Amino acid sequence: MAVAEAQLYAKVSNKHRGRSTSALLEPLLAKGFPAHIAQKALVATGQKTIEDAVKWLHSHCNDPSLEDPIPQEYALYLCPTGRLHSCLQDFWKESKRQCGKNRAHEVFPHVTLCDFFTCEDQKVELLYDILKRVGDSFSQRFPPSISLTLHASPSYLGFFIDGSQANVLKEFAVAFSSEASALADCHVKPSLKQFHLTLAHRFYPHHQKTLEQLAKCINPGEPCQWVAALYSRDMRFVHYQRLRALFQYKPQNIDELMINAGDLIYVDPTRQSDASEGWVIGTSHRTGCRGFLPENYTEKAHESDTWVKHREYVFDTASRSFTKTEKEHNVKLNGEAHNLSMSRSVTNVPSLQKAALPRGVLVMRHGERVDQVFGKSWLQQCLTADGKYYRADLNFPSSLPRQKDSMKQFECDPPLSCCGIFQSRLIGEALLDQEVTVSSVYSSPALRCVQTAQHVLQVGLKLNQKVRIRVEPGLFDWTKWEASRAIPNFMTVAELVEASYDIDTSYRANFPLSSLVPSESYEDYVSRSSAVIKQIISDCPSKGRGVILIVGHGSSLASLPRALAGLPSRDSGDFAQMVRKIPSLGMCFCKEQKEDNKWQMVNPPVKTLTHGANAAFNWRNTILED
C-alpha cells in the first residue's frame, strides 16, 4: 500500500464525511453481496468509495477466507506532515542507503497514541465518529508546535516529547481509548509510555555514530501540521514477512500463485520447508489466494505497505507556520515525501554513487555456472564419442580452456554458462557507469570465479591488464558442500595465463591449495574466511581509495562481510538457509570508517541483476506436435 493521503479532511475543515456506512453499504447490498461480506470489503478499503469496495470483492472472489469473521486490527498514530515530514523521509532514505535497513524503515514517521486493537467491521464507523468528536474537544488545547528532543542509544535513535505537550497527547489518547472501549465495544489501550518518534531501531551498534550524524541534520523546529490517523492491518499476517512482486507471474501448475507487478505477498517464514529452492509459499494481499511463486520475482516490502488508512483528524495549527501555497503543496501524502525540494542538511551528505569512494570491499558471487542450468551431467551432453567437446546448447561455452589433466576435471570445477559471462559483463559495465574504481581483485580458484572476475574487469570495467586477478585458494567455498568430498583439481596459474586470463603471477596466496581440507567443519570454514579477509585487507594499501573486488561463492557473501564488520557468525543452519537465497552475481559492500578504523556494511554501488529461467526449446517436438 502506498501510504495514503494526510489531509483528507483539511479542505472541509475536519468535517466528517457526508457519507455514512449505510450510504456505502446499501449499493453493495443492492448488487447482491451479503451484508457481512460487503462490510468486510468496505473496511478492507478504508470505506472510501463503493468502486473500491466492489473492486476488492471481485479480486477476492476466490479468497478461501472471504467468509471468515476475522476483524481487522486498528491503531491510532500521530503523524507529522509538511516540511518536518520531508526532512524525516530524507533521513529515512539516507540512513537506509548508508547503514542498510533497520526496524524503523518498516513504518512511516509517527508517534503511537493507541496500540493495535480489534474492532468488528460493523462498528468501525463508530471509531470515525469518536475520532472526530475527541479531536474537536482537543483542537484548542493541542500544542501550536511540538518540541522534539533527540535521544540515542546503541539500539535506538529517535525524538522524545516531554512536558506539558506530552501530557496533552496522553489525555487525547486516553479520551479516544475510553470512548472507543465504551461505544465500539473495543479493548483499546492508550500508549502511556514516553511519547517518541522513532528514527532508527534495532540497528548494528557500529552504525550508531553515522545515524546520529544524520539525525542531527534534521531541524525538529521545521513547520509541521500534525494528523491523528487510524490505520488497520490484517491480524492473521502480523508475524509474516512481506514481499512485493517485481514482475507478473502466470502459474504453470495448479498450486502456483498468480501475481501482478506491484502485488504484495504475505510469507510465513516457518512454513517454507515444502517449497523448492528458489520458491516460496505466499498469500496474495490483493486476492487472498495462496500458492507457490518464484522468489526472484519479488523484493522485500515494508510492514506498513499492507496497512489500510481510514479516517484522520488534522490539528489545524500549521497556519501559524505555513503560507497558503506551502499548505497546498506540502501537505499531501502521509508516509511519502511531500516537498520536491530536498532538505539541504541531509542531501548534502556525499552520495555513494557518482562520488569518489573511500576504501571499500565488494564481495561478489560468481555468475551462472553450466551445471546450475544443465545439471551435474552437463559435460556428458557436450562430449563426442571420441571425447571431444562440442557446444550442445547456445548457453554452453563455445570452448573450454585447456587443462593438462582429463576434461573430466571440469565436472567438479564447472565454467560459466554464456549467460553467466553476459551477467558478469553487465555488472562490470554498471560499475563503470557508477565510476567505481577497482584497485585490487581477488578470486577463488574455482574457474567460474576467475571467469567472472575476468569479464567484470576486462569487458565491463575495461581494465585490460591494468588490474590483474589474484587467485586466493582461501576464498574457496565451504568444502563440506563439495559433492565429491574432495578438493577439485583446479586449473593452475600457468594454465589460466595460457588461457588468456589476466592473472597476477607474482601473487603468493595466503592459503595454498594444500591447506584446503575436504569436508571441513563449519567452525573451520568460518575461521578460514575471517583469516583470509583480514589478510587481504592488510595486503592492500590503507591509503588507497579504490575498491577491493572479491569474487567468490554464495558462502563468501554470508561469511566475509560479517567477519570484516566484526559481526558474529551465524549458526550453520541459518548460514545454509542464507546461502540458498544468494543469487548469481549477488553482492555485499563494506566501506572503511576512517575515524575508528572499522568497517560497516552499506548498499552496493550498483543494483542487483534479476532474470528468469529460459527452458530449452525443440521446435520439432513443439511446433509439429499433434
Side-chain angles (χ1 to χ4, degrees):
M1 173 191 79
V3 183
E5 295 190 357
Q7 202 178 4
L8 292 175
Y9 300 115
K11 295 182 179 180
V12 291
S13 301
N14 281 318
K15 291 181 179 179
H16 187 46
R17 284 191 170 193
R19 182 182 296 170
S20 66
T21 299
S22 58
L24 292 172
L25 184 60
E26 289 299 330
L28 296 178
L29 298 178
K31 291 178 182 291
F33 295 111
H36 67 288
I37 291 180
Q39 287 174 330
K40 189 172 187 175
L42 289 170
V43 167
T45 55
Q47 295 198 15
K48 293 179 176 64
T49 66
I50 297 171
E51 292 75 15
D52 288 341
V54 171
K55 183 178 179 181
W56 186 92
L57 286 165
H58 287 162
S59 297
H60 285 257
C61 61
N62 295 318
D63 184 350
S65 66
L66 190 60
E67 295 280 351
D68 293 348
I70 302 175
Q72 295 279 303
E73 286 188 324
Y74 297 82
L76 183 63
Y77 287 160
L78 185 68
C79 304
T81 63
R83 292 181 184 174
L84 177 59
H85 183 272
S86 295
C87 292
L88 292 170
Q89 285 298 101
D90 291 342
F91 170 85
W92 245 248
K93 181 179 179 180
E94 190 64 24
S95 64
K96 188 175 181 180
R97 187 186 72 81
Q98 292 201 31
C99 302
K101 185 178 177 182
N102 63 67
R103 191 68 177 84
H105 291 117
E106 290 289 333
V107 187
F108 42 82
H110 71 280
V111 177
T112 301
L113 297 177
C114 296
D115 296 325
F116 275 100
F117 60 92
T118 58
C119 180
E120 297 176 19
D121 293 345
Q122 66 270 25
K123 297 180 180 179
V124 173
E125 182 72 10
L126 292 172
L127 296 181
Y128 302 162
D129 294 334
I130 293 166
L131 177 60
K132 172 68 168 60
R133 184 165 56 252
V134 175
D136 284 344
S137 66
F138 276 82
S139 61
Q140 297 303 312
R141 296 179 55 198
F142 194 85
S145 63
I146 293 180
S147 299
L148 302 173
T149 304
L150 186 64
H151 172 80
S153 74
S155 62
Y156 177 85
L157 182 71
F159 287 120
F160 278 16
I161 303 173
D162 298 307
S164 59
Q165 297 174 342
N167 292 334
V168 173
L169 298 183
K170 288 180 181 179
E171 290 176 24
F172 174 81
V174 169
F176 174 85
S177 301
S178 299
E179 291 206 29
S181 298
L183 301 178
D185 196 23
C186 305
H187 180 65
V188 185
K189 182 180 178 181
S191 179
L192 298 179
K193 297 182 292 185
Q194 187 170 25
F195 281 130
H196 56 275
L197 191 156
T198 300
L199 297 175
H201 183 39
R202 294 183 186 174
F203 49 84
Y204 289 121
H206 62 276
H207 287 157
Q208 180 181 353
K209 188 172 182 179
T210 300
L211 291 169
E212 282 189 58
Q213 290 173 342
L214 290 174
K216 289 175 182 177
C217 295
I218 302 173
N219 177 13
E222 289 280 8
C224 174
Q225 193 169 29
W226 292 89
V227 175
L230 274 171
Y231 288 87
S232 72
R233 69 184 183 187
D234 193 322
M235 63 188 298
R236 296 173 298 165
F237 304 114
V238 169
H239 300 296
Y240 282 45
Q241 295 175 349
R242 294 155 187 85
L243 302 176
R244 177 180 285 101
L246 297 170
F247 317 104
Q248 183 186 59
Y249 179 75
K250 295 182 179 180
Q252 308 297 312
N253 297 290
I254 194 171
D255 59 353
E256 294 175 2
L257 182 66
M258 170 70 184
I259 56 174
N260 293 329
D263 280 1
L264 292 160
I265 313 296
Y266 298 106
V267 173
D268 183 354
T270 66
R271 300 291 298 275
Q272 299 306 306
S273 58
D274 296 333
S276 302
E277 182 175 356
W279 293 76
V280 294
I281 306 173
T283 301
S284 170
H285 173 71
R286 178 176 60 86
T287 67
C289 297
R290 185 171 182 266
F292 292 92
L293 67 149
E295 189 173 16
N296 66 343
Y297 275 49
T298 66
E299 65 179 359
K300 289 185 178 180
H302 293 156
E303 177 184 340
S304 60
D305 289 347
T306 55
W307 294 359
V308 176
K309 182 162 184 196
H310 292 259
R311 299 295 187 266
E312 61 184 17
Y313 190 93
V314 180
F315 292 98
D316 194 12
T317 61
S319 56
R320 307 170 194 176
S321 305
F322 284 84
T323 65
K324 180 179 179 181
T325 302
E326 286 173 321
K327 281 185 183 180
E328 293 175 350
H329 189 61
N330 288 333
V331 184
K332 291 184 180 178
L333 293 180
N334 240 355
E336 293 183 0
H338 308 318
N339 197 337
L340 294 179
S341 61
M342 302 286 281
S343 169
R344 178 175 300 177
S345 57
V346 174
T347 54
N348 278 345
V349 177
S351 173
L352 181 63
Q353 284 83 0
K354 303 292 185 182
L357 286 168
R359 192 166 68 141
V361 174
L362 182 62
V363 184
M364 179 185 301
R365 189 188 179 189
H366 57 76
E368 179 185 87
R369 47 195 269 185
V370 289
D371 60 335
Q372 186 178 337
V373 183
F374 300 103
K376 296 297 182 183
S377 61
W378 68 273
L379 191 57
Q380 298 174 21
Q381 305 172 45
C382 299
L383 292 180
T384 62
D386 57 354
K388 293 182 179 180
Y389 175 84
Y390 77 100
R391 195 177 191 181
D393 185 284
L394 285 180
N395 201 20
F396 283 114
S398 58
S399 62
L400 294 178
R402 291 200 326 185
Q403 231 188 114
K404 65 177 181 179
D405 293 322
S406 168
M407 196 175 293
K408 291 284 187 180
Q409 297 298 335
F410 287 119
E411 288 185 340
C412 297
D413 186 22
L416 292 180
S417 67
C418 282
C419 285
I421 292 171
F422 180 65
Q423 292 171 335
S424 305
R425 293 176 179 178
L426 282 180
I427 294 297
E429 291 170 357
L431 292 169
L432 182 65
D433 288 342
Q434 295 301 325
E435 301 177 5
V436 174
T437 302
V438 173
S439 58
S440 304
V441 180
Y442 291 80
S443 171
S444 160
L447 177 58
R448 56 193 179 272
C449 298
V450 175
Q451 289 179 320
T452 299
Q454 177 79 4
H455 290 287
V456 168
L457 286 173
Q458 189 180 73
V459 183
L461 282 167
K462 304 187 186 305
L463 292 175
N464 306 51
Q465 300 184 354
K466 295 179 181 177
V467 179
R468 297 186 182 275
I469 302 167
R470 298 175 176 178
V471 178
E472 175 53 65
L475 293 172
F476 185 56
D477 211 350
W478 183 13
T479 61
K480 179 183 177 181
W481 287 343
E482 284 301 301
S484 64
R485 301 300 179 189
I487 305 301
N489 190 7
F490 301 115
M491 292 182 66
T492 65
V493 168
E495 289 172 335
L496 292 170
V497 171
E498 184 182 354
S500 300
Y501 294 109
D502 290 334
I503 305 298
D504 185 350
T505 57
S506 65
Y507 177 69
R508 295 295 175 262
N510 295 296
F511 288 78
L513 277 172
S514 59
S515 68
L516 295 181
V517 179
S519 300
E520 67 187 327
S521 68
Y522 176 62
E523 290 73 20
D524 287 344
Y525 171 72
V526 170
S527 177
R528 167 162 65 90
S529 299
S530 178
V532 74
I533 187 64
K534 291 176 181 177
Q535 191 60 51
I536 286 174
I537 295 303
S538 65
D539 288 347
C540 296
S542 59
K543 295 181 180 179
R545 295 183 62 81
V547 169
I548 303 168
L549 173 62
I550 297 177
V551 182
H553 308 265
S555 57
S556 305
L557 272 73
S559 59
L560 299 179
R562 292 183 66 87
L564 186 57
L567 303 175
S569 60
R570 298 180 181 272
D571 64 54
S572 58
D574 290 341
F575 179 82
Q577 290 297 319
M578 185 194 313
V579 172
R580 286 180 63 240
K581 298 179 180 179
I582 297 173
S584 299
L585 275 304
M587 290 175 285
C588 284
F589 187 71
C590 295
K591 70 174 183 179
E592 188 176 25
Q593 304 298 297
K594 286 293 186 181
E595 59 274 8
D596 52 12
N597 293 321
K598 292 183 179 180
W599 295 78
Q600 69 175 27
M601 294 178 63
V602 298
N603 287 337
V606 297
K607 298 294 184 181
T608 190
L609 175 69
T610 304
H611 65 89
N614 192 61
F617 173 69
N618 186 309
W619 67 271
R620 186 181 301 277
N621 294 343
T622 304
I623 306 301
L624 297 183
E625 184 179 24
D626 292 333

